Amino acid sequence: MSSQQKQSASRAADAPAVQEPAGPRPARLTAAAALTAVEGLALAALGAYMLIMGLAGAPDSAQQAEMGGLTVLALAVLPLVAARGLWLRRRWSRGPALITQIVALPVAWTLVNGGGALIAAGIALAVAALVVLVLLVNPTATEALGIGPREAP
């Protein structure tokens, strides 16, 4: 073991253990986790549908449909992991959940402008994204995740 590795190991041993937030999970955090999970599951379902239709259907380009399905399945991982982290009250999960909602807003706008049945899907996505954003910036949720105000240096 090098001296640098020994110093890193001793610093890790001296660092205080990360404490789990105490008390019950606030309803706001539960709702944010549930909505984020629903978004992730919807993405996973869409990706699976695209992949199956690319393999079994008759798309214009099977390769493009399959790649699109795999891409959407990969994108579904972020909200699902963030939802699990929110459910378990992990501090790191707030960032990915916020990013997911911010990215969902332009997608919702595009769906609304698409017309037809896409309007309802776009409105539902926009409402869900805005609700989760509001829930995640709420002080109750931030405290439940162990995120407090920044300390002055």
Side-chain angles (χ1 to χ4, degrees), residues 113-125:
N113 288 329
L118 296 177
I119 293 174
I123 291 171
L125 179 58

Side-chain angles (χ1 to χ4, degrees), residues 9-84:
S10 67
R11 284 188 201 128
D14 295 339
V18 177
Q19 293 182 355
E20 296 281 327
R25 182 184 317 103
R28 291 178 173 134
L29 192 57
T30 302
L35 283 172
T36 304
V38 167
E39 290 172 341
L41 291 173
L43 272 175
L46 175 63
Y49 173 78
M50 290 173 66
L51 188 60
I52 290 168
M53 292 310 292
L55 294 171
D60 292 337
S61 170
Q63 220 175 10
Q64 190 175 9
E66 292 163 10
M67 188 54 70
L70 289 173
T71 301
V72 173
L73 281 171
L75 290 173
V77 172
L78 182 64
L80 291 172
V81 169
R84 184 174 188 277

Side-chain angles (χ1 to χ4, degrees), residues 94-145:
R94 184 172 175 245
L98 287 171
I99 290 168
T100 298
Q101 306 317 315
I102 291 168
V103 168
L105 291 173
V107 172
W109 179 258
T110 303
L111 289 173
V112 167
N113 288 329
L118 296 177
I119 293 174
I123 291 171
L125 179 58
V127 168
L130 289 172
V131 167
V132 174
L133 283 171
V134 168
L135 291 172
L136 289 177
V137 298
N138 186 287
T140 305
T142 57
E143 288 172 13
L145 292 171

